[in-house]
Amino acid sequence: MAIITSVDVTLTAEQIAFFREHGYLRLECICPPEEVDFLREVYDRLFAEKVGREQGAQFDMVGLDEEGKPQASPQIINPVFFAPELKNSIFRSNALAVARQLLGPETFWSFEHAILKPAGIGAPTPWHQDEAFRRDHPPGYREISIWMPLQVATEENGCLEFIPGTNRGLVLPHASPGGDPRVHALECVSGFDPADAVACPLPPGGCTIHHCRTLHHAGPNRSAIPRRAYIQGFELPMEGNPKLSPEFTWNAEKQTTNQLRKRAWRRRGGVLTEIARKLHARWTRLTR
């Protein structure tokens, strides 16, 4: 694949200050059009093949994830594990450069995921803070997500919306949507006003960046085209004792089918694959 376009991802002092104050930032372009086309092809293939399902890495984020039934918002955790060609993308490289400008030079890649909202039936993503999903991090955890659409993202098809300033507060109370622990998603249940939301529509290859405590959601996809989002996550090395982490009871209560599939896969030897992936990620971080 020949990429002939480069993208300048140098942030201004004003952009960095805006991010620190409001907890999010919008960039018009982080990935060249030629690569967006390539990523979209890979993305569609991975979802069509349902890669990672037996490993618990592919599942319906907002539904019960029942076999043979349509998924309202399918997700793939770390698609790069199933498509190694994603590792050397300009998007990933530029995203790391942006993350280091916002968090510092020790920032490293920690995860990626792909979220699909099918045309016409894609369900809304509940209001939540990403940190509410974490189980083993110490106080002061610092992580950001860089969210890029592979087609135009609008309010009609489910662009991200943010509550400015929530990055500077605490993790708010969350629960399983509808009180059903079989649903993977979390929903913030109090402490904010949705009327304060700021929508961030984007062109393909643009992005939003948000802090792990910034409250955000995405509406349903009411359009005639799929809404594809490809997300890179970055963090700083942890400081402090993870045992001092706040205990999020909403995570302990989860009983999702993707958890069951993952446990079964681990028993069949998948745990060795997990260890190899973690060692490779650590080696990559130390040698970059």
Side-chain angles (χ1 to χ4, degrees):
M1 178 187 61
I3 298 297
I4 59 173
T5 307
S6 62
V7 175
D8 182 8
V9 291
T10 303
L11 301 180
T12 66
E14 291 76 15
Q15 287 174 315
I16 294 172
F18 183 94
F19 177 82
R20 291 175 178 168
E21 175 71 15
H22 299 288
Y24 74 95
L25 185 65
R26 178 187 181 280
L27 299 182
E28 190 73 13
C29 183
I30 194 172
C31 182
E34 299 94 331
E35 183 169 270
V36 172
D37 293 340
F38 168 75
L39 294 177
R40 187 166 55 245
E41 291 177 4
V42 176
Y43 184 106
D44 287 348
R45 173 175 59 81
L46 295 179
F47 275 101
E49 296 175 356
K50 294 187 176 181
V51 299
R53 186 160 179 79
E54 69 168 5
Q55 301 180 21
Q58 190 277 335
F59 53 88
D60 190 351
M61 187 171 64
V62 298
L64 297 182
D65 198 35
E66 298 173 291
E67 293 293 344
K69 294 191 176 181
Q71 294 184 327
S73 186
Q75 173 173 250
I76 299 174
I77 303 296
N78 287 323
V80 68
F81 291 163
F82 310 101
E85 60 268 34
L86 296 175
K87 182 178 179 181
N88 296 316
S89 69
I90 292 176
F91 170 46
R92 186 166 175 172
S93 176
N94 284 347
L96 177 61
V98 168
R100 286 180 170 168
Q101 292 173 72
L102 293 172
L103 291 181
E106 294 185 351
T107 300
F108 61 91
W109 178 90
S110 57
F111 68 92
E112 67 176 37
H113 60 135
I115 303 175
L116 174 66
K117 290 185 186 290
I121 63 169
T125 305
W127 284 104
H128 68 280
Q129 294 165 295
D130 292 341
E131 191 172 344
F133 283 92
R134 307 299 181 248
R135 293 173 180 263
D136 59 352
H137 64 281
Y141 179 67
R142 293 161 294 176
E143 177 195 272
I144 64 173
S145 294
I146 299 183
W147 188 101
M148 183 179 74
L150 299 179
Q151 74 299 298
V152 64
T154 66
E155 292 184 66
E156 182 188 21
N157 70 7
C159 68
L160 285 191
E161 300 183 30
F162 302 98
I163 305 291
T166 46
N167 58 302
R168 293 179 282 109
L170 301 175
V171 176
L172 298 170
H174 286 66
S176 295
D180 192 336
R182 295 175 297 171
V183 177
H184 175 85
L186 289 173
E187 181 174 22
C188 186
V189 296
S190 65
F192 73 104
D193 185 352
D196 296 332
V198 176
C200 288
L202 289 166
C207 75
T208 56
I209 306 115
H210 65 268
H211 186 271
C212 59
R213 288 195 179 180
T214 305
L215 200 63
H216 60 287
H217 98 127
N221 183 4
R222 299 184 296 270
S223 78
I225 61 170
R227 194 230 64 184
R228 309 167 182 88
Y230 185 26
I231 302 100
Q232 301 284 342
F234 302 91
E235 63 182 270
L236 284 169
M238 291 187 181
E239 298 176 355
N241 188 350
K243 293 182 179 180
L244 299 178
S245 302
E247 188 171 342
F248 298 151
T249 57
W250 48 77
N251 289 324
E253 297 167 353
K254 288 292 185 182
Q255 302 173 27
T256 63
T257 55
N258 64 296
Q259 287 177 331
L260 296 176
R261 289 197 302 271
K262 187 171 185 176
R263 289 170 190 156
W265 173 70
R266 283 172 168 169
R267 289 194 296 269
R268 296 193 303 269
V271 66
L272 298 177
T273 300
E274 282 192 335
I275 291 171
R277 287 169 175 171
K278 289 178 180 179
L279 290 174
H280 178 73
R282 180 173 176 79
W283 178 84
T284 301
R285 186 201 328 168
L286 293 174
T287 57
R288 290 194 72 151

